[in-house]
Amino acid sequence: MALYEGIALIQEKQAVVLDLGSEYTKFGFTGEAAPRCIIRSQFWCSTERRFKKVYEYSTPEELYDNLVNMLHLLYFRHVLVNPKERKVVVVESLLTPTLFRETLAKVLFTHYEVSGAVWADSPRMCAMTLGAPVTLVVSLGAREAEVAAVVHSCVVLRAVQAQPLGAAAVRAELLHLLRQDCGSDLHLPDHVLEDITVKTCFVSPRARALRWQSDSPPEPARGVRYPLARLGAVCVSGRARELAAEPLFRRDNELASLPDIVLQCIMQCPIDVRRALAANVLLTGGAASLPGLRARLSQELAHLCTLPPYSSRLRLGEFKFHRAPAHDMSCAWLGGALCGAGEAGGGAGGGRLLSRDVYCRERRLRDWVNLLDNTPPHHPQRDHLDLTL
C-alpha cells in the first residue's frame, strides 16, 4: 500500500446514520450497537416561538428550513461532529414522498456539504439485523403500518402493504375510551396519550377480546391513576387499557386490519417463499413494544388462515416471530449502521454511494418508482427515457 493510501485510510472517519421518523429521530455512528441519540423529530422555531415538527410544512421552502434546523440540532448539539467530514447513511421508508427525499438530499449536499450519502430502505435494513435470507418485516410506526417481504436482500415491491394502523390509531382509540369513562370532553396532548399508552396499555389475547364483543364481557383489568400537571389525575380503566389496541385487529369490508395486510403481503409473494416468510416474521417500530402484541397477532393470523379468501390460497402452518438484536424502535437504524460499517475504512458506500460531485451534476436521486432507474439498459424504451432525462 502506498503511503498516501494509508494516510487516506487513517483519515477516513465513521459515517453517521440518520433515521428521520415522523415522531422520533435516531442518529448515531456506523459500527455501533445503538444510536447516540433518540429524540423527537422537532426543533425550536425562533420565528414561531414554539417547538415545530419536521413534517409540519406546506411548501418545499418550509420543508427545506425544517430539515436545516433539524440536522443542525443533530450534528452540533447531540453528536458534535463536522458534517463535511462524515458520509451519511439515510434510512427511509419505501413510501417516503419524493419531495421529502429530494429536499433532504439538497440540504445534505448543498447546505451541509457532506461528501457522500447512501439511501437505504428500512425493510432491508431490518432484515439485515437478523441475517436470515427470507424475512417478513412488519413495521408499526407512528402513523401507519407497513408490511414488506425481503427475499435474499430484495424487497418484493408488488407485495408491499400499508395501512394507517400505527401508534396514532392506538392513541386515538385510547382518548375515545377515556372520554367514555370520564363522561366529558377530555383534551389531552399527544405526548401525554403516548405516555399513558406506553405505561398502562396492553394487548389482550384473542379469546378475551371476543368476550369483550359479546353480551357477557370479562372482568376488566385493574385501573390505574395517571397524574397530570394541572388536572390532578385521570383514571385509566382496565377496559381502556385492554381495548386501546383493538383498532389494529378490527376487520371491515376492505380487509384492512393488521393481520389482513400481513397475509395479503404473503399472498402476493412467490409461492416457494411463503412458508419461509411465515416462519421469519420480524415485528418492528415503536408501537411493536406493546405487551402481548406478538402473541395476539400470531393468534389472529392462525385464525384468518382458516377463513376465505386465505384458506384456499395459503397453507402456512404456523407463524414464528423473531426479536431483533436491538430495541424495536431502532431496528432499522441498526441495519443502517451495519450497512455503513461494512465498507473498508469506515466509509458508507461502495457502489451505492452517491457522492456530492455526482449529485451536483445530476441533481436527482435514484428512486424505485422512477422509470429512469428501473428500466433495463436494453429495453426498447430505454433510449426514449434517456432523451427525456
Side-chain angles (χ1 to χ4, degrees):
M1 178 184 295
L3 178 60
Y4 65 89
E5 293 180 355
I7 295 176
L9 188 62
I10 295 174
Q11 291 178 346
E12 186 70 35
K13 296 184 178 181
Q14 282 180 296
V16 295
V17 184
L18 172 65
D19 186 356
L20 190 59
S22 58
E23 290 288 341
Y24 286 93
T25 294
K26 283 74 68 177
F27 196 66
F29 297 103
T30 58
E32 297 187 355
R36 290 292 181 96
C37 64
I38 301 178
I39 62 173
R40 291 188 179 272
S41 301
Q42 62 184 19
F43 59 93
W44 176 256
C45 182
S46 57
T47 57
E48 301 181 16
R49 305 298 298 173
R50 66 180 180 91
F51 283 101
K52 185 178 181 180
K53 293 184 178 180
V54 177
Y55 288 82
E56 290 183 15
Y57 64 91
S58 55
T59 62
E61 293 76 15
E62 185 178 3
L63 175 59
Y64 183 90
D65 294 336
N66 291 352
L67 291 173
V68 168
N69 291 321
M70 187 66 198
L71 291 177
H72 184 275
L73 180 69
L74 294 171
Y75 274 114
F76 300 109
R77 178 171 297 182
H78 291 282
V79 296
L80 301 178
V81 296
N82 185 359
K84 296 182 180 180
E85 301 174 352
R86 311 269 177 168
K87 297 183 177 69
V88 184
V89 179
V90 180
V91 181
E92 62 174 2
S93 168
L94 283 171
L95 305 179
T96 302
T98 302
L99 174 62
F100 192 90
R101 299 179 75 248
E102 296 286 351
T103 308
L104 179 58
K106 183 178 179 181
V107 171
L108 288 173
F109 287 117
T110 63
H111 186 88
Y112 288 102
E113 298 181 356
V114 299
S115 59
V118 175
W119 267 258
D121 56 275
S122 58
R124 286 195 296 177
M125 296 302 101
C126 292
M128 185 179 295
T129 62
L130 286 185
V134 179
T135 308
L136 184 66
V137 181
V138 182
S139 177
L140 296 180
R143 297 182 179 178
E144 60 185 7
E146 298 178 10
V147 184
V150 181
V151 180
H152 298 290
S153 300
C154 295
V155 181
V156 185
L157 294 177
R158 67 178 182 180
V160 175
Q161 304 288 328
Q163 288 293 333
L165 297 174
V170 178
R171 294 199 295 263
E173 182 69 11
L174 175 63
L175 181 59
H176 176 68
L177 294 171
L178 292 177
R179 288 175 175 175
Q180 287 183 349
D181 296 337
C182 297
S184 61
D185 191 10
L186 187 64
H187 295 280
L188 295 175
D190 287 341
H191 71 275
V192 173
L193 289 172
E194 178 186 358
D195 198 43
I196 295 176
T197 303
V198 172
K199 293 182 178 179
T200 65
C201 294
F202 60 94
V203 183
S204 301
R206 184 176 184 274
R208 185 175 174 87
L210 293 177
R211 291 182 60 188
W212 277 108
Q213 302 175 8
S214 64
D215 297 332
S216 56
E219 181 179 354
R222 181 180 177 182
V224 298
R225 290 180 60 84
Y226 181 84
L228 297 175
R230 298 181 179 179
L231 300 179
V234 60
C235 181
V236 184
S237 64
R239 173 175 168 271
R241 296 176 61 196
E242 291 190 52
L243 300 182
E246 287 305 309
L248 303 180
F249 308 99
R250 192 173 297 156
R251 303 189 74 195
D252 54 13
N253 294 331
E254 297 182 357
L255 303 180
S257 67
L258 179 61
D260 278 302
I261 63 175
V262 171
L263 294 179
Q264 290 167 15
C265 179
I266 297 177
M267 287 175 56
Q268 296 295 326
C269 293
I271 193 172
D272 57 334
V273 299
R274 293 177 182 176
R275 283 185 175 269
L277 289 172
N280 296 278
V281 182
L282 178 62
L283 195 60
T284 68
S289 301
L290 281 173
L293 180 60
R294 286 177 173 81
R296 173 67 180 279
L297 182 57
S298 177
Q299 297 169 4
E300 294 286 349
L301 291 173
H303 172 70
L304 290 183
C305 283
T306 62
L307 302 177
Y310 311 113
S311 58
S312 60
R313 300 185 59 183
L314 295 178
R315 299 290 189 273
L316 299 179
E318 61 177 346
F319 290 85
K320 297 181 180 179
F321 288 79
H322 292 277
R323 285 191 177 273
H327 192 274
D328 295 331
M329 179 184 293
S330 58
C331 180
W333 182 94
L334 178 60
L338 293 173
C339 175
E343 300 295 334
R352 295 192 304 165
L353 177 69
L354 176 63
S355 65
R356 183 171 180 268
D357 296 336
V358 174
Y359 174 80
C360 292
R361 184 171 60 253
E362 298 182 356
R363 292 290 179 175
R364 61 180 297 269
L365 296 178
R366 295 180 60 87
D367 200 346
W368 64 272
V369 299
N370 195 326
L371 291 177
L372 293 171
D373 301 321
N374 57 30
T375 303
H378 303 292
H379 194 273
Q381 298 294 329
R382 184 69 216 187
D383 294 338
H384 173 71
L385 293 174
D386 292 337
L387 291 176
T388 60
L389 180 62

